[in-house]
Amino acid sequence: GSSIIFRQVYATGSNNDTPVRYSFLELYNKSGHSIPLGGKSLQYAKGEKTEYIPYPFPEDAVIPGHSSYLIRCAEAVNPKGDAYLDACEAFSLNLFDMDIPSLSLSSKATRLILADTVKSVSASSVRALYENAHVLACFSACSEDSDTDFPAVSRSLDKRTAIRRTDDLSGWEAVDYAHLPCDVITAYTPSASSGQNTEIPISNICVQFSVPGGRYDKTVEVELSTMPGYEIVYTFEHFTSPKRFDAYKKPLKIKDTTVSTYGFTAELLMDKYGTDVKPRSVDTPSGMVLKACAFDGENYGPVCTQTYFVLPDMAHYDDIPILNFTVNPYDFTGDRGIYSIVSDNIFAERKKLDGYLEIYDEKTGNPEPRYVQLAMSGNGSLAFKQKSMRVYIREEDTPESAGTLYYDLFAGDAVDKNGEPITTIKTFLMRNSGNDAGCSHLRDTFMQHISASLNVDIQAYRPAMVFFNGEFWGMYNLRERYDTAYFVNHYGVDEQNLVMLESPSPLLTGNNSSPYTVNEGLPGDDRDFMEIMSFSATHKKMTDEDVAWVEERMDLDNFTDFFLANLYLCNTDWPGNNIKVWRNKNPDDPSGLDTRWRWVLSDMDFGVGYGTDASQNMFAHALTEDSYCGRLMKHLLTNKTFSQRFIDRAIYICNELYQPETVLPVLTQMKERIEPYIERNFLRWRGDGGSMERFERHIGKITTFMNDRGAVFARGLKSATGTYVR
């Protein structure tokens, strides 16, 4: 066999935000003597093409023994022709032996060969290629090329990852240049015959922390280090500009981070809104945010962040994740910060705030920190001092690039269609429990949890202690967010085929009957749904054929379960509000899912005794002409066959699913899970009126509701349909 092998290959693909500015490939001479490359060529084919395009080597080209030969290819550019983003560059490719600016390597379906001819090589298969006498070395990044049939194949090439031979040259490994620390990058960068490319831009010179951020029960000592030739500056303060950081000279000791005061982020909010947002002065867990960066005397490297929670009484926090967001405090709680703007006007523009998220989780392990964007969430519930937020995972520090958090955020509570935990998180919610804030803090999660076996989607839940800039911001309910990523994860629907509609808030429209808006999808994607609503409006007494027409377009088993859950649990902020409905619009979607509309349970915090007690006649409340949802069900129930389906399901829900002996143990379990933490939340947000006495009172109201609701629901069902639940 040939002594020359492909040692490393990297392809930018059609992207301009790659960690290397150029595609490249590194050849390596395993022998101890020089090998001339004149008369030979690099040849490239993409996808299913069998004709290889030759790129001849210069006649005097030589690859020394035990050395590399580096070929630099086309510069990264996206389909729009946008120039390369310098801030993404992990290292500079200044040393190379051959430049082929016309060769743009694809990050998918790439095959490369080293041939002893300058003529194009043709092969009907990879095996034939491998056995061709003119082929000295091969590389493939095509998924259809089997490792068994073709030993030189690798199948994990992408825009951020190079494929490199292991140090012993026996196998392949992936090198993620976008996420590796600088000292590791320099160990992997490709070499030319004149030396290795080790020049890293200051924008990528990071600081290493000897002790990672996390939870500790005693003092930690942290040493900072970086690449030779650079100084380090650091701070524990709220400063965002490295120009205000201090010079690092010796290890930093971080002691007990429990505090009895509030920090700068809270101070900014208090300056504007006074004591209503002032935390009560009690011992509160907090974190020390350590920010550091490299400095070359003129320029600063990226700010690297680790947060340390030194809490001697760690036993109180072992069962709940800690989330810390490092943000610019002025953009968060300053006069025009995202938190302050909605305090003045809940319908103000939902601006997004860049941040850096660290998660410390004793149960499922600590994921890699991620850049994020935050936006306020909710409508009426934004009037509370503790406010709900959306979290969008971002790719590095590029706000426009959606990223992924690889982590079991919900500790097994969110599963895909195969029952496996969902560990690819694009977005999630941090809810204050909606209108239930300051009360039970679990109403919506409880109702959705006990409804999980119904034919309707719910949002996974997990309580968490949330911090901003190390300051305790409250106990939040982490929830899945209904968006494209949700339905991709749960159903496998292609994101291009997903449509989701939402009812506009009556606080904005002044009514419960405004057309639903397209939240996910394209303009006009609501047309099919509105046809169903128009059909319903003109068919007040439905025949079997009418019901069949609707059922072709909507999953009526799902609609029935959705409707009955809201009826039984007395969600009085429905059906004119808090509606989300979705579908797959492509009958050929790879998931195999049909194209019917489906409804989801959402924002039920007015239920189980919050907006009313168990005596509420929800049938009279919901079965009206005032909302799309209520009108459709009212007219469907005029059909005897459908009405019986509805009754049968109602009997099951009343007699089995929501029986007190079934659901009250769930309530107790959920209460006990948050009880050790919830008082700190009430002390943090005094303006929302929460207290342990009020918490216990609302748990009692939910208990009473579930004990009393069955009989009332049975009477309502008899009144609406003539059937009594026994």
Side-chain angles (χ1 to χ4, degrees):
S2 171
S3 296
I4 303 176
I5 61 172
F6 285 92
R7 183 165 194 178
Q8 187 168 185
V9 178
Y10 173 74
T12 62
S14 299
N15 305 281
N16 69 333
D17 59 348
T18 54
V20 189
R21 183 184 293 268
Y22 302 93
S23 295
F24 67 81
L25 55 99
E26 179 185 6
L27 300 174
Y28 184 75
N29 180 0
K30 297 187 295 182
S31 74
H33 59 273
S34 296
I35 299 177
L37 294 175
K40 299 179 177 64
S41 64
L42 170 75
Q43 301 202 17
Y44 169 66
K46 178 182 176 183
E48 298 179 356
K49 294 181 179 179
T50 57
E51 292 288 336
Y52 283 73
I53 302 172
Y55 296 89
F57 291 98
E59 283 300 322
D60 59 352
V62 173
I63 180 169
H66 300 305
S67 186
S68 294
Y69 187 94
L70 186 60
I71 302 170
R72 191 176 77 172
C73 302
E75 186 172 4
V77 64
N78 67 14
K80 296 179 181 179
D82 296 330
Y84 181 72
L85 298 174
D86 293 339
C88 299
E89 192 171 31
F91 65 90
S92 300
L93 203 66
N94 294 329
L95 300 177
F96 54 91
D97 298 291
M98 182 177 176
D99 193 20
I100 312 178
S102 62
L103 176 53
S104 180
L105 295 183
S106 169
S107 57
K108 298 179 181 178
T110 289
R111 293 191 182 100
L112 295 162
I113 62 173
L114 177 66
D116 67 357
T117 176
V118 296
K119 295 181 179 180
S120 175
V121 171
S122 178
S124 59
S125 68
V126 172
R127 170 53 60 187
L129 179 70
Y130 192 60
E131 294 174 346
N132 189 303
H134 290 293
V135 175
L136 304 176
C138 301
F139 175 88
S140 171
C142 296
S143 58
E144 61 266 31
D145 294 346
S146 165
D147 282 338
T148 302
D149 294 336
F150 185 41
V153 169
S154 173
R155 290 173 288 172
S156 52
L157 200 62
D158 66 47
K159 72 172 186 176
R160 284 174 172 75
T161 306
I163 299 303
R164 178 183 182 273
R165 290 277 189 176
T166 55
D167 289 341
D168 62 4
L169 306 179
S170 64
W172 297 98
E173 62 183 345
V175 180
D176 185 355
Y177 283 121
H179 297 109
L180 290 174
C182 300
D183 56 336
V184 178
I185 287 177
T186 55
Y188 290 129
T189 52
S191 296
S193 58
S194 57
Q196 187 177 10
N197 286 278
T198 57
E199 181 182 334
I200 297 179
I202 182 66
S203 60
N204 280 292
I205 301 293
C206 299
V207 172
Q208 282 76 50
F209 299 72
S210 64
V211 179
R215 312 177 187 207
Y216 297 92
D217 58 6
K218 59 184 178 181
T219 299
V220 295
E221 185 172 277
V222 183
E223 294 184 29
L224 305 179
S225 60
T226 190
M227 299 286 288
Y230 294 90
E231 300 176 31
I232 297 174
V233 293
Y234 78 98
T235 188
F236 286 111
E237 302 295 333
H238 65 272
F239 309 139
T240 57
S241 171
K243 293 179 180 179
R244 302 184 66 183
F245 290 9
D246 297 319
Y248 171 75
K249 297 179 180 178
K250 61 181 181 180
L252 306 168
K253 289 188 177 181
I254 303 174
K255 302 180 180 180
D256 187 348
T257 58
T258 306
V259 297
S260 58
T261 59
Y262 39 82
F264 185 75
T265 309
E267 279 184 8
L268 287 175
L269 202 61
M270 290 159 49
D271 287 344
K272 189 168 185 178
Y273 301 106
T275 57
D276 268 1
V277 295
K278 179 181 179 180
R280 289 185 175 93
S281 296
V282 295
D283 288 344
T284 302
S286 69
M288 290 290 287
V289 181
L290 174 56
K291 292 177 280 191
C293 63
F295 181 51
D296 65 4
E298 294 183 6
N299 301 301
Y300 296 93
V303 175
C304 303
T305 304
Q306 294 286 310
T307 305
Y308 300 86
F309 293 87
V310 183
L311 306 170
D313 194 7
M314 280 296 296
H316 284 302
Y317 309 103
D318 283 352
D319 192 41
I320 192 167
I322 287 176
L323 279 67
N324 182 69
F325 296 87
T326 300
V327 299
N328 184 325
Y330 295 101
D331 293 336
F332 184 52
T333 52
D335 281 347
R336 300 304 298 164
I338 65 167
Y339 207 91
S340 301
I341 290 174
V342 294
S343 297
D344 294 335
N345 175 11
I346 62 173
F347 295 114
E349 179 187 356
R350 304 292 170 84
K351 295 182 178 180
K352 291 182 179 178
L353 170 66
D354 295 336
Y356 185 73
L357 169 62
E358 299 163 85
I359 301 177
Y360 300 114
D361 187 350
E362 295 293 311
K363 188 170 184 179
T364 60
N366 305 335
E368 286 292 320
R370 301 298 304 193
Y371 288 96
V372 298
Q373 285 190 315
L374 296 121
M376 308 314 294
S377 183
N379 289 312
S381 64
L382 284 174
F384 287 91
K385 310 306 176 187
Q386 182 186 16
K387 304 181 190 303
S388 300
M389 288 170 265
R390 299 173 186 172
V391 181
Y392 301 86
I393 309 301
R394 288 295 175 250
E395 194 60 58
E396 290 305 303
D397 56 354
T398 309
E400 63 272 16
S401 299
T404 303
L405 173 66
Y406 298 98
Y407 166 55
D408 187 3
L409 181 63
F410 299 100
D413 196 40
V415 295
D416 63 20
K417 64 179 182 179
N418 299 316
E420 296 296 323
I422 291 172
T423 57
T424 53
I425 308 298
K426 302 284 188 182
T427 62
F428 63 92
L429 296 175
M430 299 193 301
R431 289 199 84 220
N432 63 353
S433 198
N435 292 282
D436 185 44
C439 300
S440 79
H441 217 77
L442 52 68
R443 266 190 171 85
D444 179 55
T445 62
F446 168 68
M447 286 182 278
Q448 291 202 33
H449 189 85
I450 63 176
S451 304
S453 63
L454 295 176
N455 180 18
V456 64
D457 285 296
I458 65 169
Q459 297 159 287
Y461 153 75
R462 193 180 184 193
M465 299 283 274
V466 174
F467 297 77
F468 277 85
N469 298 327
E471 300 174 39
F472 179 58
W473 213 252
M475 195 199 80
Y476 276 83
N477 296 334
L478 304 184
R479 305 296 300 275
E480 287 182 286
R481 180 171 181 256
Y482 289 126
D483 58 12
T484 299
Y486 178 95
F487 299 103
V488 170
N489 278 332
H490 285 270
Y491 291 89
V493 175
D494 189 303
E495 61 182 24
Q496 303 298 322
N497 298 328
L498 192 281
V499 181
M500 187 174 74
L501 313 180
E502 182 174 5
S503 60
S505 170
L507 295 174
L508 269 177
T509 64
N511 63 71
N512 290 325
S513 56
S514 294
Y516 296 177
T517 57
V518 178
N519 258 11
E520 301 283 350
L522 302 172
D525 277 348
D526 58 339
R527 190 175 297 114
D528 185 80
F529 181 82
M530 294 310 298
E531 285 179 2
I532 301 172
M533 296 302 105
S534 297
F535 182 89
S536 168
T538 58
H539 292 71
K540 296 186 178 183
K541 291 187 180 296
M542 291 205 181
T543 64
D544 288 348
E545 290 75 16
D546 294 337
V547 173
W549 186 92
V550 176
E551 191 148 30
E552 283 182 12
R553 294 157 177 82
M554 181 179 293
D555 185 337
L556 291 185
D557 290 335
N558 160 265
F559 183 48
T560 298
D561 281 4
F562 160 79
F563 207 91
L564 285 169
N566 280 285
L567 283 179
Y568 192 98
L569 299 171
C570 282
N571 180 13
T572 54
D573 195 16
W574 167 93
N577 192 25
N578 296 319
I579 298 284
K580 292 182 175 69
V581 59
W582 70 280
R583 75 166 182 144
N584 154 47
K585 64 183 179 182
N586 183 356
D588 297 320
D589 185 85
S591 68
L593 187 68
D594 61 51
T595 59
R596 294 184 297 170
W597 292 95
R598 291 171 169 83
W599 308 70
V600 303
L601 294 181
S602 175
D603 297 343
M604 302 176 73
D605 34 271
F606 262 81
V608 290
Y610 180 89
T612 183
D613 59 24
S615 65
Q616 172 77 22
N617 184 349
M618 284 294 291
F619 289 90
H621 170 85
L623 294 172
T624 72
E625 300 286 331
D626 296 338
S627 68
Y628 288 134
C629 174
R631 182 174 63 200
L632 175 59
M633 182 57 78
K634 180 182 177 183
H635 295 174
L636 283 168
L637 287 173
T638 63
N639 179 271
K640 184 176 180 180
T641 303
F642 179 83
S643 180
Q644 189 58 53
R645 287 169 60 181
F646 182 89
I647 291 165
D648 291 344
R649 198 59 171 167
I651 292 172
Y652 161 73
I653 281 174
C654 186
N655 285 351
E656 296 185 43
L657 185 66
Y658 293 142
Q659 280 291 297
E661 59 267 27
T662 301
V663 300
L664 291 182
V666 176
L667 177 64
T668 299
Q669 183 183 41
M670 295 180 76
K671 176 203 173 189
E672 291 175 348
R673 187 179 187 184
I674 66 173
E675 208 162 11
Y677 317 102
I678 192 63
E679 186 172 14
R680 295 193 181 280
N681 190 75
F682 297 146
L683 293 171
R684 172 63 186 87
W685 297 106
R686 64 170 72 191
D688 289 338
S691 67
M692 291 307 293
E693 185 275 332
R694 193 181 186 200
F695 173 72
E696 294 288 354
R697 188 168 70 250
H698 276 267
I699 295 296
K701 290 180 72 173
I702 298 171
T703 302
T704 300
F705 178 95
M706 297 310 301
N707 279 322
D708 297 346
R709 181 58 180 163
V712 177
F713 179 81
R715 291 194 295 271
L717 182 65
K718 185 176 188 301
S719 176
T721 66
T723 298
Y724 186 75
V725 181
R726 298 185 182 277

